[in-house]
């Protein structure tokens, strides 16, 4: 399995927790930017001729903020330059404050078959607090437009002044909206973002409180029919995100656009975070790669383990053997012994016990 | 070469910060030994640690030539001395190589604890003492009062004492002249059998051990066969020379001179500082009066952070010992920390310096355990043993009683802080001896104090409670019977031997509580709950709990996050490497030393 990722670095306003590459004041460059993305795809086309792609993920920023025709052209460009499967999973991230019936219609027409909607919280005051541009009502309208479609909703925990009741309302809102997939993320205050100041001021819930919110969320989601299949991802049976599962299997993927990452034939690439530089590179027919790193086998193993253990089913022992031609349980016998209280071994899988999934760094570092 | 009557061998003694190294630099500069532009700050202090801390640890001799007002040229040999109480032994070594001592007294601070301690040492060695009053350029200088103080407190005539400012270079010539007139020339006969005092040594990778000597009688030159009194090994002298200030070869050293001998000596253990060098073929009858043997006062365990680097640590300690005979060590092992060494030091500063040098000069990361003193344990069968490692204490049933080392402490302070100092001494189980007013602004307090109460933070405490005005010195008195108990720390139910300590019964409960509180802060949360308990002889006296960690994960990990997540985990892994696994609890290595320092004050 292999995936394609495209980064759309525009949005209406920067959320207070956001440290991704996104430029609210440069939305006027959208057309030129998209032209560059199509060109970047064309530049990689030949090199990736032998690859079969199963997923396309359009993320951001806010992809839904730009004119939908560019999105349609993007999907077409992907199909033109790469072997993208007929039934490929094609996802777009959308912000409830930026959609319309016409937009959704265009998306569907061009082949997009999965939507990821950023709700974050169902409490309007908290939406304002974190700098989102939408409110609960807009989310509900958005959900109506997506009725019967395959869509996911993002929610957040660990927000300032957030109570367990707020989380309950948010999860219920997401679940009753018709979504078949919910991502529940703990707020991560990154240095340099406005919420980091809140964190320094002690205004955010501490790690024990966040853990309690998480445990509550996991339980609530299960009651509503959403099973956890990765630390932060929950879905109704059969609705896992194929694109993301590929990351956790340490599959190959190619990224396009500012700040996009790729992992192709054991080399990790990251594009420049600088929009101007991206333009300059692509317009002069150069790749916009800022960082390129060959990953040696020992590190590939570490990556494989660290990614696989994020998932509920755990590390697939047969896949490990196929990849590395060595038996995982034998190779790491001593370390597995050390963490035996927190893990489970079955015929096919080595996994972190459900109750320890949220403290997995402590366990994974044993394998690094 | 100067005539014997024109040689002056002397040292400079002073309380820390009274300007010893600055005056030495000034003397060297004025005699043309070094030009001003070549001077690196404080020439004699050549170790990085010495410069950074503003202290002198190693002795560094230097030779100078001075043309006196009487028209004659004199050879001066200055032997620098460490100023800190820990290094009393080093001071006494260098004093024995001299005829005179310059006593520097700060013109505003006056006589301090170490001033007096050093004067007594100089008098014991029959040295002529020349008082010099320094820092007269300071607005707070009160040279006349200080002169009176020197006369009253020390009993030295200070009427002719040169008044100088080493920093400003004021009146340095007065000191140079006084060295000529005040200090006697060395005696000794070049024709007699060789008798040379080793006052220091260091290990050179190419030349072997270099002996720093004062020739008392006879002479020595390259080609001579020499031996020391302690061992019977015979060495061929390869090179002799003087300190100018770097080692400068000069063939032949004669009675009265100070210089060095290189004789391809492979091991510093073969040549004890204080020993006498003589000619192997025509030895002198008697060695020079011996030194007192150095006694370790403070002990601690030193372990490699990375257990596999035990041999590197061993090499490092052996190499340091080449230059520092006062460092003693023996292999030791701990259940918690694995293999390491139990080391003995002259004092707390000495210990810190050795620890720092191991880390800096050998790039080794180490874990050190809390410092301890040596206790005398009298067993029920009458046997007496000395224990400096709490985990080696015999079972309670075998102990008849225990004794702890007591020091006599001298504290000098302005009278305003008497209350604070007396409170502190009381808290530390001090016994008041007497109080003397030196003048209206300075009081001398004498106390008997248990050594184990002052090795942790007494010096810092006294400085902070008196805003740095008080000075402190101590000497060992001997052992006194005391109610001592072993305080154990249990992590997750198991005793951690590296954290055990011997404390006085009365303070055991408070210590146990503080220790548990500090450990609770210092031990990171693990996947399970960790009880931290303090116990005396199996009875739990305090408990804290390190709660289990509940969140330790990066919320998102998609294509662009993988590199970042990897870095994060690697960082976490690095942190883990700095931990020691005690049972199944991971404990940061700093804990073993640090928890004791944070004794809330």
């Amino acid at each position: 399995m292999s995936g394609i990722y495209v980064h759309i670095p525009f949005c209406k306003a920067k959320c207070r927790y956001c440290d991704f590459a996104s430029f609210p004041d440069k939305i006027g460059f959208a057309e030129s930017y998209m032209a560059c993305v199509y060109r970047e795809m064309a530049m990689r086309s030949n090199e990736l001729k032998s690859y079969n792609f199963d997923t396309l993920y359009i993320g951001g920023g806010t992809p839904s903020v730009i004119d939908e025709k560019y999105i349609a052209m993007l999907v077409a460009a992907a199909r033109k330059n790469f072997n993208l499967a007929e039934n490929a999973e094609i996802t777009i991230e959308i912000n409830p404050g930026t959609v319309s019936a016409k937009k959704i219609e265009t998306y569907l027409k061009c082949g997009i078959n999965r939507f990821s909607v950023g709700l974050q919280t169902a409490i309007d005051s908290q939406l304002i607090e974190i700098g989102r541009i939408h409110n609960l009502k807009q989310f509900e309208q958005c959900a109506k437009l997506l009725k019967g479609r395959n869509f996911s909703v993002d929610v957040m925990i660990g927000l300032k002044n957030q109570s367990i009741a707020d989380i309950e309302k948010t999860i219920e809102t997401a679940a009753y909206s018709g979504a078949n997939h919910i991502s529940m993320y703990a707020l991560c205050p990154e240095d340099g973002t406005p919420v980091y100041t809140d964190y320094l001021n002690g205004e955010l819930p501490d790690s024990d409180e966040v853990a309690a919110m998480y445990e509550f969320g996991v339980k609530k989601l299960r009651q509503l029919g959403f099973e956890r299949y990765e630390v932060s991802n929950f879905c109704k049976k059969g609705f896992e995100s194929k694109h993301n599962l590929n990351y956790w299997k340490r599959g190959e993927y190619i990224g396009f656009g500012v700040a996009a990452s790729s992992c192709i034939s054991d080399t990790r690439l990251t594009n420049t975070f600088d929009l101007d530089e991206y333009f300059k590179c692509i317009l002069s027919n150069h790749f916009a790669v800022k960082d390129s790193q060959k990953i040696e086998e020992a590190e590939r193993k570490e990556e494989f383990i660290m990614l696989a253990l994020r998932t509920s089913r755990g590390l697939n022992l047969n896949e490990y053997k196929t990849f590395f031609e060595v038996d995982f349980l034998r190779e790491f016998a001593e370390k597995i012994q050390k963490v035996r209280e927190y893990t489970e071994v079955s015929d096919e899988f080595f996994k972190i016990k459900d109750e320890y999934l949220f403290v997995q760094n402590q366990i994974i570092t044993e394998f690094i | 070469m100067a005539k014997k009557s024109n040689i002056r061998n002397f040292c400079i003694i002073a309380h820390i910060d009274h300007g010893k190294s600055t005056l030495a630099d000034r003397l060297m500069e004025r005699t043309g030994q070094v030009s001003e532009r070549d001077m690196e700050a404080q020439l004699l202090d050549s170790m990085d640690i010495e410069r950074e801390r503003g202290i002198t640890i190693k002795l560094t001799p230097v030779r100078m030539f001075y043309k006196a007002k009487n028209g004659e040229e004199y050879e001066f040999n200055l032997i620098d001395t460490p100023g800190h109480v820990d290094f009393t032994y080093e001071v006494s070594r260098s004093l024995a190589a001299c005829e005179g001592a310059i006593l520097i007294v700060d013109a505003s601070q006056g006589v301090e604890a170490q001033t007096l301690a050093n004067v007594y040492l100089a008098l014991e060695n029959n040295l002529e003492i020349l008082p010099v009053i320094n820092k007269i350029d300071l607005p707070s200088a009160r040279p006349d009062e200080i002169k009176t103080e020197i006369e009253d407190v020390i009993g030295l005539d200070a009427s002719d004492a040169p008044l100088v400012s080493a920093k400003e270079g004021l009146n340095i010539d007065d000191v140079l002249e006084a060295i000529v007139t005040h200090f006697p020339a060395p005696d000794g006969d070049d024709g007699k059998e060789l008798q040379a005092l080793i006052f220091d040594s260091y290990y050179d990778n190419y030349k072997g051990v270099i002996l720093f000597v004062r020739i008392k009688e006879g002479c020595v030159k390259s080609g001579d066969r020499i031996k020391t009194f302690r061992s019977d090994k015979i060495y061929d002298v390869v090179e002799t020379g003087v300190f100018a200030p770097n080692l400068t070869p000069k063939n032949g050293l004669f009675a009265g001179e100070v210089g060095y001998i290189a004789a391809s000596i492979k091991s510093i253990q073969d040549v004890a500082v204080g020993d006498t060098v003589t000619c192997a073929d025509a030895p002198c009858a008697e060695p020079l009066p011996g030194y007192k043997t150095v006694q370790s006062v403070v002990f601690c365990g030193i372990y490699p952070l990375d257990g596999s680097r035990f041999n590197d640590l061993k090499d490092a300690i052996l190499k340091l010992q080449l230059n520092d005979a006062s460092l003693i060590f023996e292999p030791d092992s701990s259940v918690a920390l694995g293999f390491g060494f139990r080391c003995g030091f002259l004092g707390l500063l000495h210990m810190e310096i050795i620890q720092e040098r191991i880390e800096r000069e050998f790039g080794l990361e180490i874990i050190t355990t809390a410092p301890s003193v040596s206790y005398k344990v009298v067993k029920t069968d009458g046997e007496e043993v000395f224990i400096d490692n709490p985990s080696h204490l015999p079972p309670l049933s075998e102990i008849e009683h225990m004794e702890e080392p007591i020091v006599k402490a001298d504290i000098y302070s302005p009278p305003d802080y008497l209350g604070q100092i007396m409170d502190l001494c009381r808290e530390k189980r001090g016994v008041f001896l007497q109080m003397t007013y030196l003048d209206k602004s300075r009081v001398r307090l004498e106390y008997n104090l248990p050594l184990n109460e002052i090795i942790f933070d007494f010096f810092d405490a006294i400085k902070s409670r008196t805003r740095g005005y008080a000075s402190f010195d101590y000497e060992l008195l001997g052992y006194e019977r005391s109610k001592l108990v072993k305080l154990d720390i249990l992590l997750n139910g198991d005793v951690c031997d590296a954290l055990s300590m011997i404390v006085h019964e009365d303070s055991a409960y408070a210590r146990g509580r503080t220790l548990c509180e500090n450990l609770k802060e210092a031990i990171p949360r693990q996947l399970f709950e960790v009880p931290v308990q303090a116990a005396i002889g199996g009875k739990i006296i305090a408990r804290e709990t390190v709660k289990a960690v509940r969140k330790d994960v990066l919320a998102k990990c998609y294509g662009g996050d993988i590199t970042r997540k990897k870095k994060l985990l690697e960082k976490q892994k690095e942190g883990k490497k700095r931990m020691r696994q005690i049972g199944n609890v991971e404990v940061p290595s700093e804990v073993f030393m640090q928890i004791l320092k944070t004794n809330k004050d």
Side-chain angles (χ1 to χ4, degrees), chain B residues 164-296:
Chain B
V164 308
S165 163
K167 190 165 147 257
E168 299 298 326
L170 255 164
N171 302 337
I172 301 302
D173 289 342
D174 292 356
V175 181
L176 291 165
E177 275 301 313
I179 291 170
V180 171
T181 55
H182 207 83
F183 294 151
D187 42 23
D189 182 346
D190 297 349
K192 277 189 156 178
E193 292 89 12
L194 173 65
Q195 211 180 16
L197 172 75
I198 307 174
F199 64 86
D200 201 6
S201 65
Y202 86 98
Y203 188 81
D204 180 282
N205 284 336
Y206 303 104
K207 296 177 180 170
V209 179
I210 307 276
L211 303 175
F212 290 11
V213 293
R214 159 68 196 273
I215 312 290
K216 291 283 190 182
E217 300 285 354
C219 68
V220 60
K221 56 187 186 308
S222 51
D224 286 357
R225 283 154 41 87
I226 55 164
K227 69 178 197 83
T228 61
F229 267 80
R230 192 157 313 186
S231 86
D232 281 330
K233 288 189 189 159
I234 292 172
Y235 304 97
D236 291 323
V237 175
V238 177
E239 185 181 307
T240 59
V242 294
F243 310 101
N246 299 319
L247 300 193
T248 310
K250 163 185 177 289
N251 198 18
L253 291 174
F254 298 89
E257 290 192 300
V258 172
Y260 69 88
I261 300 173
S264 303
I265 302 169
K266 289 284 164 280
S267 162
I268 203 144
Q269 312 306 337
D270 294 343
V271 281
V273 165
D275 202 355
T276 303
V277 177
T278 189
C279 184
D281 301 316
C284 59
E286 291 287 318
L288 293 160
Y291 286 77
K292 39 183 181 181
T293 37
V294 227
Q295 246 184 347
S296 300

Side-chain angles (χ1 to χ4, degrees), chain A residues 202-299:
Chain A
E203 292 173 337
L204 299 180
D206 68 22
S207 71
D208 285 353
E209 290 168 306
V210 175
M213 292 173 174
Y214 179 77
E215 278 159 28
F216 172 83
V218 172
K219 208 170 75 195
K220 183 79 199 170
L221 282 160
R222 179 171 306 129
Q223 285 168 8
L224 295 168
F226 293 80
E227 283 299 328
R228 176 170 65 178
Y229 69 99
E230 190 259 1
V231 177
S232 305
N233 285 283
F234 305 76
C235 68
K236 293 196 166 157
K237 208 165 172 7
F239 287 99
E240 291 87 357
S241 158
K242 287 193 193 118
H243 184 82
N244 290 340
L245 276 179
N246 181 50
Y247 290 134
W248 303 319
K249 285 184 172 173
R250 209 194 163 276
E252 290 179 292
Y253 54 94
I254 181 80
F256 298 100
V258 159
S261 297
S262 310
C263 180
I264 293 285
S265 24
D266 295 326
T267 303
R268 289 199 178 278
L269 306 172
T270 307
N271 276 355
T272 175
F273 282 59
D274 182 323
L275 194 57
D276 289 340
E277 200 184 331
Y278 177 75
F279 281 134
K280 271 185 213 150
C281 290
I282 301 300
L283 292 174
S284 62
N285 286 316
H286 290 89
F287 289 121
V289 173
K290 171 196 80 164
D291 189 41
S292 160
Q293 230 184 330
K294 176 105 179 100
I295 311 293
E296 303 300 334
E297 181 167 77
E299 211 177 337

Side-chain angles (χ1 to χ4, degrees), chain A residues 77-238:
Chain A
R79 288 214 177 274
K80 183 179 154 218
N81 289 298
F82 306 107
N83 308 318
L84 183 59
E86 198 54 45
N87 62 346
E89 175 192 276
I90 304 180
T91 309
I92 185 167
E93 289 179 347
I94 59 178
N95 180 307
T98 61
V99 289
S100 62
K102 186 169 149 270
K103 248 184 200 172
I104 301 287
E105 200 181 313
T106 309
Y107 291 155
L108 289 167
K109 215 187 272 171
C110 77
I112 288 172
N113 50 26
R114 189 171 179 274
F115 300 85
S116 173
V117 188
L119 164 63
Q120 317 310 358
T121 164
I123 313 299
D124 279 341
S125 62
Q126 285 166 9
L127 285 169
I128 293 167
E129 174 67 42
I130 57 177
R132 298 291 294 185
I133 56 158
H134 66 91
N135 55 30
L136 177 61
K137 200 165 164 224
Q138 285 171 302
F139 170 78
E140 283 163 347
Q141 284 162 352
C142 176
K144 216 174 271 172
L145 294 173
L146 294 173
K147 201 159 183 185
R149 306 289 172 191
N150 179 16
F151 73 99
S152 171
V153 174
D154 284 357
V155 301
M156 292 178 88
I157 57 172
L159 303 179
K160 189 166 152 184
N161 300 326
Q162 196 178 28
S163 67
I164 294 283
D166 296 341
I167 291 166
E168 182 164 33
K169 183 181 175 193
T170 301
I171 289 174
E172 283 173 352
T173 305
Y176 299 148
S177 71
N180 48 33
H181 185 285
I182 292 174
S183 299
M184 178 176 74
Y185 299 117
L187 175 71
C188 180
E190 298 288 353
D191 195 357
T193 62
V195 292
Y196 194 69
T197 314
D198 298 347
Y199 162 71
L200 294 178
N201 287 334
E203 292 173 337
L204 299 180
D206 68 22
S207 71
D208 285 353
E209 290 168 306
V210 175
M213 292 173 174
Y214 179 77
E215 278 159 28
F216 172 83
V218 172
K219 208 170 75 195
K220 183 79 199 170
L221 282 160
R222 179 171 306 129
Q223 285 168 8
L224 295 168
F226 293 80
E227 283 299 328
R228 176 170 65 178
Y229 69 99
E230 190 259 1
V231 177
S232 305
N233 285 283
F234 305 76
C235 68
K236 293 196 166 157
K237 208 165 172 7

